[in-house]
Each structure stands twice: as C-alpha cells, then as structure tokens.
C-alpha cells in the first residue's frame, strides 16, 4: 500500500475508477489532465495504490483565501479515508486550515462521514450555501474558485470546514 502523486500515465487507471461516459467523461479527462500535469504545489492529484490504483484525490490549495477544496475523491472507503487524511495533513502543514466542499445534495454527507467517523479529524462544519441545478452560487469566490464559472447539473451543497485554533500547529 502506498500513496504518491499521480502523473499523466495514471489517467487511464483513474478513468477506470470513475466509471463515467459521454460528456461527463470528457470533462473528467480534462480535469485529470490539468491536475496530473500541473507542476504547481497548489493543485495536486494523489493516488492510493495497493496492487494498482485503488483511489485518488484531486485537491486545490487557494492562497488568496487560505483554504483548500477537494475537486474529486474516488475509491473504496479505505482509499478515500487515507487520501483525505494525506491531503488534510498536507494542507494543515502548509497553513490551510479551511476546507470547502461542493457535493451533490444527495451525497453531501460522504466527506462528513470520513472526517467525523472514520478519521476523527476535529473540523467544525457549516453549510454555507445550497445551490440549485443550473444556477450560480451567490458568493463570487465560490463561483470563480469552486464552480470554475460553470453551473452544475444538479443541486449542490457548499460546506465550509475549519480546524479550530486549538488544533493548529
């Protein structure tokens, strides 16, 4: 079992894991290419390997608001938990103590479950905004950063997580 940065060579295995087709697959291929070819420490693609790729996380650190977001988290619960913990530790070590997620309204508890039940990370959380399908969020930074100026096809929930001061290093 190992965790390492993903490269362009890993994209076929990533595609196998996401199980998308049509326009969603084409959007994912672009996203994967952007994250895997990015040489910036702010956008990262990290994979969980155990006899092949078993999961991956795409995440982005935003230094203008000192926060990070998960672009995609895919895999088994074990893989997702290990990857999320890896990303959290990296973000926190870099001084990024706020996390924003954009999840389909019917799946918004997945990261919450990993944070609270699986990893016991002491993040506090609040829903910042609920955004209807094909509408933009009210907050411009969410539109620019989290939505990348593109409306979503389904209702989503923007959740803000933060690590209380007493847990920061």
């Amino acid at each position: 079992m190992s965790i390492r940065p993903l490269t362009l060579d890993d994209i076929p295995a990533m595609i196998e894991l996401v199980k998308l087709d049509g326009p969603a697959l084409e959007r994912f291929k672009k996203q994967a290419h952007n994250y895997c070819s990015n040489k910036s420490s702010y956008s990262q693609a990290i994979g969980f390997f155990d006899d092949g790729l078993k999961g991956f996380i795409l995440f982005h650190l935003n230094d203008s608001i000192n926060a990070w977001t998960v672009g995609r988290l895919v895999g088994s619960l074990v893989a997702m938990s290990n990857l999320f913990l890896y990303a959290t530790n990296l973000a926190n070590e870099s001084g990024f103590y706020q996390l924003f997620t954009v999840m389909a309204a019917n799946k918004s508890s997945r990261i919450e479950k990993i944070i609270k039940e699986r990893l016991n990370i002491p993040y506090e959380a609040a829903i910042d905004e609920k955004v209807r399908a094909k509408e933009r969020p009210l907050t411009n930074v969410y539109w620019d950063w989290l939505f990348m100026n593109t409306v979503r096809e389904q209702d989503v929930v923007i959740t803000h997580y933060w690590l209380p001061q007493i847990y920061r290093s």
Side-chain angles (χ1 to χ4, degrees):
M1 172 175 81
S2 66
I3 293 176
R4 68 162 173 80
L6 297 172
T7 68
L8 295 173
D9 293 337
D10 294 310
I11 292 177
M14 294 168 71
I15 291 169
E16 291 277 324
L17 286 175
V18 295
K19 297 178 176 73
L20 297 171
D21 58 16
L25 176 59
E26 293 310 309
R27 283 191 304 272
F28 173 73
K29 285 179 181 178
K30 288 179 186 174
Q31 182 187 38
H33 187 272
N34 288 341
Y35 274 86
C36 291
S37 63
N38 194 338
K39 303 301 179 211
S40 165
S41 61
Y42 290 105
S43 292
Q44 298 199 24
I46 306 294
F48 179 88
F49 292 84
D50 188 8
D51 194 29
L53 182 65
K54 299 299 182 196
F56 64 89
I57 187 170
L58 307 177
F59 64 100
H60 181 79
L61 304 168
N62 184 328
D63 63 346
S64 67
I65 62 170
N66 206 34
W68 63 291
T69 189
V70 176
R72 194 171 294 263
L73 180 60
V74 175
S76 68
L77 185 58
V78 169
M80 289 191 305
S81 297
N82 279 287
L83 289 163
F84 189 84
L85 183 60
Y86 180 92
T88 300
N89 288 338
L90 184 67
N92 290 345
E93 288 167 7
S94 302
F96 293 83
Y97 300 110
Q98 298 180 85
L99 164 66
F100 289 87
T101 61
V102 180
M103 300 288 289
N106 62 347
K107 294 182 181 177
S108 63
S109 64
R110 181 169 56 175
I111 290 209
E112 179 84 23
K113 183 176 185 176
I114 290 171
I115 290 171
K116 297 291 182 189
E117 296 174 20
R118 187 94 174 142
L119 301 176
N120 199 27
I121 298 171
Y123 273 126
E124 297 290 329
I127 293 174
D128 274 4
E129 198 170 330
K130 294 180 181 180
V131 183
R132 293 190 187 280
K134 301 185 192 269
E135 293 183 5
R136 64 178 280 170
L138 299 173
T139 308
N140 282 336
V141 72
Y142 295 165
W143 175 245
D144 295 340
W145 179 47
L146 299 176
F147 280 64
M148 294 184 213
N149 301 312
T150 305
V151 295
R152 301 293 174 102
E153 295 298 317
Q154 57 192 343
D155 293 354
V156 296
V157 175
I158 300 170
T159 305
H160 177 197
Y161 297 88
W162 64 93
L163 189 63
Q165 188 72 37
I166 62 171
Y167 298 107
R168 298 177 187 183
S169 48

